[in-house]
């Protein structure tokens, strides 16, 4: 088998037999991979302006998918379509489909609240809630949805450990969320996202506001998390994409120019625009 | 050659003298304008302190008025009345004003928001005596009874635009990144507002409420035919109630000298109350933005 198959659950039935979709050309892993999410002909608008056009790609389960491309090409817009955060901006709309475990996230089966619990998000600028303690920040995904975790202390410790922050904050869980350093604050945001046990974690340039040491810690963390969570990370740092991701999508002016396994994209890009971008000729 | 030398060595423009002169004239004009603006404030405060202080003492602040002819007595009933009226006004204005401000800041339904914003601005400009008239028609005439309730309602109408607009302003200052973080966790909008945005804007909202409080506490016209005034201590919402501005007015237009003195002292108390509110509101906002 020259190309790996990506198995896609049949829409509407998560336990149904899985259907094989055309794999991206550059994908060379032999084991069949399951697509946790599938983006199909996604077009996203601000008003009447389509900033993302006809994008289709799978997001493979328990791997890291990097989204790269020059500033303004639609990276953030794309990931925000995956948890329906795009629609919180007035005047926006989307067409096409986004499937999570075979269910259309824009369909009637999933409401945005349920979807966002399953597809967590970490933003560019660390944004812990300043009026909440560290502990309450971690639990915010529960309290803000009017739910209670089975055992709050365990949830807090677990999430903070997974975010590699526990040892640094275990003695000041009551301190305000705004009292942490930039890197710690970002890991707190990761813990907050992880605390509701999401299947997918979207990260929109999570390191761009951090120093190199904090960045290295987050990258390490992404590696560890990828064994349990499906991660989509937006980055404009090519080295970062190469370091942390297994698959890479290159967006350019709203078009998906190339998608495939990261090594292939970086060593043998098939589109001249990809090559220009990763060799630093623009962007 | 450093920059300073370069400047010194540059030939002096013949216009430099004229420019310096224009600059001085302008500075003098601005300074003069500041003085002119500050003078009335200083004059008013100075006068009420000088004339109000002699009659001011503990007894004045706590006791009830004495009948005409007897000396002494105080405005304790009016201080309490003003606090009750203003707090009652807040009780009605805050539950409407804060959500209205939150709605205005949310940028949803722009037409409705625009209409509400315009109403708030128009309301803020309505003469307060007209507001009093409105409250009189609505809450006094039907019950044939002046009441604290009608007075508090009139004040709430005066307070409402201040509360709504300051709430809108401070809610807008809450970084959208926080709202996004909460929405991305799956929180419904109302919970985001209640648990993330309002706590973050809390100090600013409080400042707006305090500003509205002192604005309402200083009003006279809306109370004249609603709360009406009273010589007694009253806690009943359905009875007329005293208020400092009303006492001030009644004593000032009375023919008695010791009432005049008490009017000045009441003016001092009222000004102190209102100023304190404004200063607290200022401090709260200053700390929030720092
Ligand atoms: N709120 C918005 N309103 C209108 N246009 C927007 C908005 N946000 C982003 N855009 C436009 O959409 C395009 C893609 O933006 P974005 O997804 O943020 O790009 P990236 O994350 O790749 O830098 C840009 O051209 C940008 O100008
Ligand atoms: Mg972006």
């Amino acid at each position: 088998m020259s190309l790996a198959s990506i198995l896609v659950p049949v829409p509407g039935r998560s336990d149904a037999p899985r259907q094989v979709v055309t794999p991206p050309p550059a994908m060379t892993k032999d084991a069949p991979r399951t697509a946790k999410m599938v983006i199909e002909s996604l077009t996203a608008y601000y008003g009447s302006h389509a900033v993302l056009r006809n994008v289709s790609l799978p997001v493979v389960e328990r791997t890291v998918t990097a989204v790269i491309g020059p500033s303004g090409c639609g990276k953030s817009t794309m990931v925000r379509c995956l948890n329906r955060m795009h629609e919180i901006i007035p005047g926006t709309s989307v067409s096409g489909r986004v499937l999570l475990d075979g269910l259309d996230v824009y369909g009637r089966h999933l409401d945005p609240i349920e979807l966002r619990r399953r597809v967590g998000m970490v933003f560019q600028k660390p944004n812990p809630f300043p009026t909440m303690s560290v502990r309450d920040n971690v639990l915010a995904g529960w309290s803000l949805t009017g739910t209670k975790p089975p055992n709050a202390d365990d949830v807090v410790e677990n999430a903070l450990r997974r975010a590699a922050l526990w040892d640094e904050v275990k003695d000041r869980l009551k301190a305000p969320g705004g009292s942490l350093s930039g890197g710690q604050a970002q890991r707190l945001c990761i813990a907050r996202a992880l605390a509701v046990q999401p299947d997918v974690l979207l990260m929109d340039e999570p390191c761009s506001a951090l120093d190199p040491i904090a960045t290295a810690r987050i990258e390490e963390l992404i590696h560890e998390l990828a064994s349990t969570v499906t991660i989509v990370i937006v980055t404009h740092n090519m080295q970062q994409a190469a370091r942390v991701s297994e698959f890479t999508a290159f967006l350019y002016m709203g078009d998906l120019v190339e998608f495939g396994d990261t090594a292939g994209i970086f060593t043998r890009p098939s589109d001249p625009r990809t090559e220009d971008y990763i060799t630093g000729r623009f962007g | 050659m450093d920059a300073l030398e370069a400047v010194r060595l540059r030939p002096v423009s013949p216009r430099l003298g004229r420019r310096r002169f224009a600059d001085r004239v302008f500075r003098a004009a601005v300074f003069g304008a500041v003085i002119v603006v500050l003078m009335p404030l200083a004059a008013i405060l100075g006068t009420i302190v000088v004339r109000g202080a002699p009659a001011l003492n503990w007894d004045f602040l706590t006791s009830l008025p004495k009948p005409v002819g007897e000396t002494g007595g105080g405005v304790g009933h009016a201080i309490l009345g003003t606090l009750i009226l203003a707090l009652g006004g807040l009780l009605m204005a805050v539950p409407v004003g804060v959500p209205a401000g939150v709605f205005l800041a949310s940028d949803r339904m722009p037409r409705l928001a625009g209409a509400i914003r315009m109403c708030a601005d128009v309301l803020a400009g309505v003469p307060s005596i007209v507001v009093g008239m409105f409250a009189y028609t609505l809450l006094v005439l039907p019950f044939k009874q002046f009441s604290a309730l009608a007075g508090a309602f009139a004040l709430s109408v005066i307070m409402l635009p201040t509360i709504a607009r300051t709430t809108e302003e401070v809610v807008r200052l809450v970084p959208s990144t926080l709202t996004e973080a909460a929405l991305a966790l799956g929180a419904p909008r109302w919970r985001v507002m209640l648990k993330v945005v309002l706590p973050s804007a809390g100090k600013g909202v409080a400042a707006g409420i305090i500003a509205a409080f002192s604005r309402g506490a200083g009003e006279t016209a809306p109370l004249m035919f609603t709360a009406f005034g009273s010589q007694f201590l009253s806690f009943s919402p359905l009875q007329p109630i005293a208020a400092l501005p009303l006492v001030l007015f009644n004593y000032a237009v009375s023919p008695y000298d010791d009432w005049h003195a008490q009017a000045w002292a009441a003016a001092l108390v009222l000004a102190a109350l209102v100023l304190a509110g404004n200063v607290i509101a200022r401090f709260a906002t200053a700390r929030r933005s720092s």
Side-chain angles (χ1 to χ4, degrees):
Chain A
M1 185 164 78
S2 61
L3 298 173
S5 312
I6 295 180
L7 296 176
V8 180
V10 173
R13 297 175 53 192
S14 51
D15 59 346
R18 300 192 157 190
Q19 163 201 1
V20 178
V21 296
T22 325
M27 209 180 284
T28 52
K29 290 276 177 333
D30 278 334
R33 316 294 297 270
T34 306
K36 184 73 189 174
M37 298 191 84
V38 177
I39 303 172
E40 282 179 5
S41 316
L42 182 69
T43 300
Y45 302 85
Y46 289 101
S48 58
H49 179 50
V51 299
L52 203 62
R53 280 179 304 272
N54 208 23
V55 168
S56 299
L57 62 103
V59 177
V60 177
E61 187 163 35
R62 289 195 213 103
T63 57
V64 180
T65 300
V67 182
I68 61 170
S71 201
C73 68
K75 305 182 294 295
S76 298
T77 305
M78 190 188 99
V79 295
R80 289 166 65 93
C81 286
L82 301 187
N83 62 347
R84 295 184 58 171
M85 283 295 284
H86 182 59
E87 70 197 39
I88 71 164
I89 300 167
T92 55
S93 55
V94 296
S95 70
R97 296 207 301 172
V98 175
L99 306 179
L100 171 65
D101 289 331
L103 290 178
D104 187 357
V105 304
Y106 289 95
R108 281 178 293 114
H109 306 283
L110 274 173
D111 72 324
I113 291 181
E114 174 59 23
L115 170 68
R116 289 171 194 160
R117 282 188 75 130
R118 292 178 60 188
V119 182
M121 188 162 207
V122 174
F123 296 81
Q124 185 165 354
K125 206 168 149 252
N127 53 5
F129 300 120
T131 52
M132 295 185 193
S133 66
V134 169
R135 180 191 151 91
D136 289 345
N137 263 281
V138 178
L139 293 172
W142 295 86
S143 62
L144 288 175
T145 50
T147 50
K148 272 204 162 65
N151 185 337
D153 290 334
D154 289 350
V155 168
V156 170
E157 177 168 349
N158 210 336
L160 286 171
R161 279 193 192 283
R162 286 177 80 195
L165 188 60
W166 174 251
D167 291 330
E168 287 158 71
V169 301
K170 64 170 185 272
D171 298 321
R172 44 185 181 134
L173 294 174
K174 294 228 156 61
S179 66
L180 304 183
S181 74
Q184 289 174 328
Q186 192 62 304
R187 276 178 283 145
L188 178 59
C189 293
I190 294 173
R192 180 175 68 187
L194 292 173
V196 290
Q197 303 277 355
D199 300 339
V200 182
L201 191 58
L202 310 173
M203 307 177 98
D204 190 352
E205 304 195 25
C207 304
S208 64
L210 305 182
D211 61 68
I213 294 172
T215 300
R217 296 210 59 170
I218 303 256
E219 286 183 11
E220 209 174 295
L221 182 58
I222 291 171
H223 251 301
E224 286 160 20
L225 289 174
S227 61
T228 49
V229 188
T230 305
I231 295 177
V232 179
I233 178 172
V234 172
T235 175
H236 58 212
N237 177 335
M238 249 79 63
Q239 287 76 31
Q240 182 168 71
R243 279 193 301 264
V244 303
S245 75
E246 195 168 336
F247 297 99
T248 295
F250 172 58
L251 286 176
Y252 184 64
M253 291 171 71
D255 296 313
L256 179 66
V257 171
E258 202 163 340
F259 171 74
D261 73 275
T262 301
I265 294 250
F266 279 87
T267 51
R268 289 168 265 102
S270 58
D271 192 290
R273 289 170 293 179
T274 316
E275 184 164 2
D276 284 350
Y277 181 66
I278 60 184
T279 55
R281 235 163 287 171
F282 60 78
Chain B
M1 183 165 72
D2 65 15
L4 200 62
E5 256 178 289
V7 171
R8 273 205 214 100
L9 291 179
R10 214 166 49 195
V12 176
S13 151
R15 296 197 173 185
L16 191 60
R18 196 153 19 116
R19 269 192 258 132
R20 276 198 183 137
F21 178 71
D23 184 53
R24 280 207 197 110
V25 169
F26 188 73
R27 271 164 196 257
V30 169
F31 190 69
V34 169
I35 297 287
V36 169
V37 169
L38 286 181
M39 230 150 50
L41 180 67
I44 291 170
L45 287 182
T47 315
I48 55 178
V49 168
V50 168
R51 305 194 64 163
L56 196 62
N57 52 50
W58 185 243
D59 193 45
F60 177 77
L61 294 177
T62 52
S63 60
L64 293 180
K66 290 265 167 66
V68 181
E70 282 182 47
T71 51
V75 293
H77 67 313
I79 294 175
L80 212 62
T82 284
L83 291 179
I84 289 172
L85 284 167
L87 285 176
L90 284 185
L91 221 55
M92 293 182 240
V94 168
V96 181
V98 171
V102 164
F103 170 74
L104 291 179
S106 74
D107 284 326
R108 312 222 121 201
M109 301 187 249
R111 284 231 183 120
L112 181 61
I116 292 178
R117 207 172 282 125
M118 201 183 79
C119 288
D121 290 348
V122 169
L123 195 56
V126 169
S128 55
I129 190 138
V130 176
V131 173
M133 213 34 208
F134 171 64
Y136 174 76
T137 319
L138 205 69
L139 288 174
V140 176
L141 278 184
F143 304 104
K144 300 187 171 57
Q145 172 76 50
F146 294 112
S147 68
L149 187 70
F153 173 73
L155 293 189
S156 80
V157 174
I158 305 234
M159 293 166 164
L160 191 58
T162 312
I163 295 176
R165 292 312 295 272
T166 37
T167 301
E168 175 185 3
E169 221 170 278
V170 297
V171 164
R172 276 188 193 283
L173 289 178
V174 175
S176 61
T177 54
L178 293 184
T179 315
E180 293 216 320
L183 289 172
L185 288 167
R189 290 220 177 238
W190 64 270
R191 231 189 261 272
V192 176
M193 226 356 117
L194 230 52
K195 295 212 164 169
V196 175
V197 176
L198 279 180
S200 305
K203 275 183 182 164
V205 174
I209 292 174
I210 293 168
F213 176 89
S214 48
R215 165 93 210 275
E219 285 292 344
T220 321
L223 298 181
M224 294 205 301
F225 33 121
T226 53
F228 191 70
S230 153
Q231 292 293 95
F232 312 105
L233 207 55
S234 164
F235 295 96
S236 163
L238 302 177
Q239 294 295 318
I241 194 168
L244 272 173
L246 294 174
V247 167
L248 203 164
F249 173 73
N250 290 331
Y251 282 17
V253 299
S254 77
Y256 315 111
D257 276 342
D258 59 335
W259 278 21
H260 291 168
Q262 294 206 343
W264 282 110
L268 181 55
V269 173
L270 184 59
L273 195 71
V274 170
L275 268 181
N278 281 328
V279 169
I280 292 171
R282 261 304 144 83
F283 267 100
T285 25
R287 243 181 266 132
R288 173 180 48 80
S289 54
S290 69

